[in-house]
Amino acid sequence: MQGRRRAISHLLLALLYFFVVVVLAGVTMILVSRWLRDAQGFWLLKQVLPPALLASVLALGVWLFDRLRRDNVPRASERLRSLDWIMCALSGIALFALAIGIEYALKGSFPDNAVVSTLPPSRFYPYFACSLVLTGLVQPILEELVFRGRLLPLASRAFGVFAGSILVSMPFALLHYSHVLSSFLFSLVLCAVAHRRGIRACIVIHASYNVCSILLDAF
C-alpha cells in the first residue's frame, strides 16, 4: 500500500510539473508571437520562431525532469526492426484515416483548409517545410517523450496498465482540444504500442499521423 501511495504521489507531481512546463511554453509562444506581430523582419522568422521556442521549452522541461527524478521507472523495451518502421508509418496513416472518419461522423464534413490556395508559392513552400519539421517530427518526439515516455510508466505503476493508459490519454486529448475524441482514442492506441513495442514505434506512428494532417491542411 505504501508503495502504491508513493507511486501515486510521483505521478501527481509529474502531472503538475508537466502542466507547469506546458503553460510556460504556451505563454512564451504567445508573448513572442505578439512581439513579432508588429516587428520588422522576415515573414518566415515570424512563423517559425514561436513554435520553435515552444518546442525548446518543452525539451528543456523533459531534460530537467530526468535530472530531478529520483525514482527508477522501468522503460518499455525497444523492439523496432527495419520493417517495423514501415508498418508503424502505415499504422499512423490508418489511424489518421480513422480520425478523419470520426470527425466526419461528428461534424458532418471534412476539414478543407487548403493553405496552398491562400499563400503565394514563395511563402507556402517555406511554411510547408517548417511544418513538416516542427509539427511532423519535433512535436511527436516531444509529446511521446512526455506522455508515453514519462507519464505512462508512472501511471501504469500507480494504477495498472489499462487505467494508467486512460489517465494519460485524458490530458493528451485535452491538449488537442479541437479533436478531443479522436485524440483520446489515438492516445490509447499509442499507450498500447508503448507497452508492447516501445517509444520509438510511438514516435513513428505519431509522426506519420501528423504528416498526414499537415498534407490535408496544406493541400
Side-chain angles (χ1 to χ4, degrees), residues 164-219:
S165 298
I166 293 178
L167 183 61
V168 169
S169 297
M170 291 172 64
F172 181 86
L174 292 175
L175 188 64
H176 304 79
Y177 57 88
S178 58
H179 308 286
V180 173
L181 179 58
S182 58
S183 296
F184 180 78
L185 296 176
F186 180 62
S187 178
L188 286 179
V189 173
L190 289 180
C191 288
V193 172
H195 283 295
R196 294 179 61 87
R197 308 305 298 270
I199 302 303
R200 291 181 183 177
C202 293
I203 291 175
V204 175
I205 293 173
H206 199 154
S208 176
Y209 183 102
N210 280 20
V211 168
C212 290
S213 178
I214 293 169
L215 291 172
L216 182 64
D217 287 340
F219 301 100

Side-chain angles (χ1 to χ4, degrees), residues 60-219:
L60 179 62
V62 173
W63 177 84
L64 184 59
F65 178 81
D66 289 342
R67 302 286 78 76
L68 294 175
R69 188 176 60 186
R70 296 181 180 179
D71 60 320
N72 295 318
V73 178
R75 301 292 180 86
S77 60
E78 301 285 347
R79 298 193 300 269
L80 199 61
R81 298 168 297 183
S82 56
L83 182 61
D84 294 333
W85 291 83
I86 299 176
M87 297 304 298
C88 288
L90 293 176
S91 298
I93 296 174
L95 289 171
F96 179 76
L98 177 61
I100 289 297
I102 293 174
E103 294 297 323
Y104 180 79
L106 294 175
K107 300 179 181 179
S109 62
F110 289 108
D112 185 19
N113 296 325
V115 179
V116 67
S117 63
T118 64
L119 294 175
S122 60
R123 290 192 172 188
F124 169 75
Y125 290 106
Y127 159 82
F128 181 65
C130 291
S131 296
L132 287 177
V133 173
L134 293 173
T135 306
L137 181 61
V138 176
Q139 179 181 325
I141 291 175
L142 292 174
E143 289 187 357
E144 292 310 312
L145 289 177
V146 172
F147 287 97
R148 257 63 63 176
R150 272 72 182 170
L151 295 179
L152 181 61
L154 290 171
S156 298
R157 191 170 67 174
F159 298 105
V161 173
F162 181 72
S165 298
I166 293 178
L167 183 61
V168 169
S169 297
M170 291 172 64
F172 181 86
L174 292 175
L175 188 64
H176 304 79
Y177 57 88
S178 58
H179 308 286
V180 173
L181 179 58
S182 58
S183 296
F184 180 78
L185 296 176
F186 180 62
S187 178
L188 286 179
V189 173
L190 289 180
C191 288
V193 172
H195 283 295
R196 294 179 61 87
R197 308 305 298 270
I199 302 303
R200 291 181 183 177
C202 293
I203 291 175
V204 175
I205 293 173
H206 199 154
S208 176
Y209 183 102
N210 280 20
V211 168
C212 290
S213 178
I214 293 169
L215 291 172
L216 182 64
D217 287 340
F219 301 100

